Amino acid sequence: MAFPFGNSALALLLTAVLSLAAMITLDGGAGTSQRPDLIIATFTKEHAAAYAPAIRAFEQEHGVRISLQVVDQRALQNRLQAAMQVGAQVPDMVELLTGSMGIFTSGPLSNVGFHDLTDRIAAEGLDQILVRNRFGLWSSRGRIFALPHDVHPVMLAYRRDIVERLGINVEELKTWADFERVGREISKDRDGDGVVEHYMIDLPSDGGDALRLLLLQRGVSLFDSKGEVAFDDPRAAQVVIWYVRQTVGPHRIAFPAGWGQNLAKAMMDGTCLFYICPDWRTKQFVNDVPAVAGKMALLPLPAWEPGGIRTSTWGGTGLAFPRQSRNFELAWKLAMRLYFDPDELGQRFADTNILPPVRTAWSRPEFSRTDSFFSGQPLGRLYIELADSVPDEPSHTYMNTAVAKLSEAFQNISLHYRQHGEKGLESFAAKELRRCADRVRIQVNRNVFLRQDPRRQS
């Protein structure tokens, strides 16, 4: 029987499967071709380094051999998907990046290639000890297919020394309206050389992750809890318009500092005063910009309205168990050790600054230690105070499509503002968001399995 998509597609599929097979049959340093008892694949070397001591202890306790593989996130995702489709060997445990679960859940739930963990999580009481809002990232149609690794609350990191010298009282920055007002006063050419000395905040000019986390803070996700497209909510237009006003034109208060060396220089020079800062980014700052140690501090996000939530979330990792794996029970035991053992999580927080979703771990002393880089603040306690306010971020099969269409709407709204200013801005923004959201709805409604989702009927 001929392959339905042609010989070229078949060759590519076989190459991907063989590549995955080669990846998972190699033991990372044991010097033997015998397949280990468990293989765990992750996309980040930082996670692998953090897990290594616990894995060694687990091997000794259970008399097993475990291979820990680090694979590029895109390659891991693509190879895993191909292997699942043809029934090839797969890792026993796989870490996925936020946004990727939808790739594996486009068909009926019975065809999802991961173990459904919903009932197991409830039976073992994990839903009672973990931050519940983190399950949405790893769910489809009310069923959970991965364990949450993190919470990733968001704060603002800021150049405390410059902010204090400029007379900014951060305690008064309670809403984004307050923040914008102060930003208009600060983001000016003060010496007449044509250059703005200090912008109020680092925001990417294309919106990107920053725009999405601000939408989440405002209560708008790309899809709602019933799986319906939701980014044309009137509140979304308000956030997009606010963002465009801060990033476009001569009166903008934001500068796109970027990443890497550009970001480090902006922080050292004080080009931007405030930086959106999820927990994981604090460690990046510590490692990459040591010149500002002791000059930085953390502040909760301003709220969208008085009394509103003062955080959001950015990113996330989940641990999934392919149904083709050989020993689910052993893999589950290892997962409990790596992800939810309080004795492991204290030191791991000290190493990474990533807040785990396990409340019972937060009493460990590492979460209360002061951090000299951030002006002696107790970094862990600051993020813990915000953890239960982190908004839910539902996953969806068409998440990547929605991200692309939101970006399209944002770019068109930004262009309208550049060309016409405030004239017709609110009306255009609402219409453009609705147009792009409707394009996503068309694709969602073509998927018969999603149309049958009982939550859409309730």
Side-chain angles (χ1 to χ4, degrees), residues 94-159:
V94 182
E95 283 198 319
L96 301 175
L97 186 65
T98 179
S100 60
M101 179 55 73
I103 294 171
F104 300 92
T105 58
S106 59
L109 289 175
S110 59
N111 286 358
V112 175
F114 298 121
H115 281 281
D116 184 338
L117 307 178
T118 313
D119 297 336
R120 185 75 176 251
I121 287 170
E124 299 196 10
L126 293 178
D127 55 335
Q128 302 301 314
I129 66 171
L130 304 181
V131 177
R132 291 183 63 90
N133 279 356
R134 298 307 284 172
F135 288 116
L137 284 171
W138 311 111
S139 301
S140 179
R141 287 155 278 179
R143 309 303 294 180
I144 304 169
F145 293 99
L147 297 172
H149 169 272
D150 39 58
V151 184
H152 293 336
V154 174
M155 301 183 76
L156 289 178
Y158 65 97
R159 278 292 303 268

Side-chain angles (χ1 to χ4, degrees), residues 25 27 32-36 65:
T25 55
D27 185 12
T32 175
S33 60
Q34 181 183 356
R35 194 180 186 200
R65 191 161 59 90

Side-chain angles (χ1 to χ4, degrees), residues 8 21 198 204:
S8 296
H198 305 292

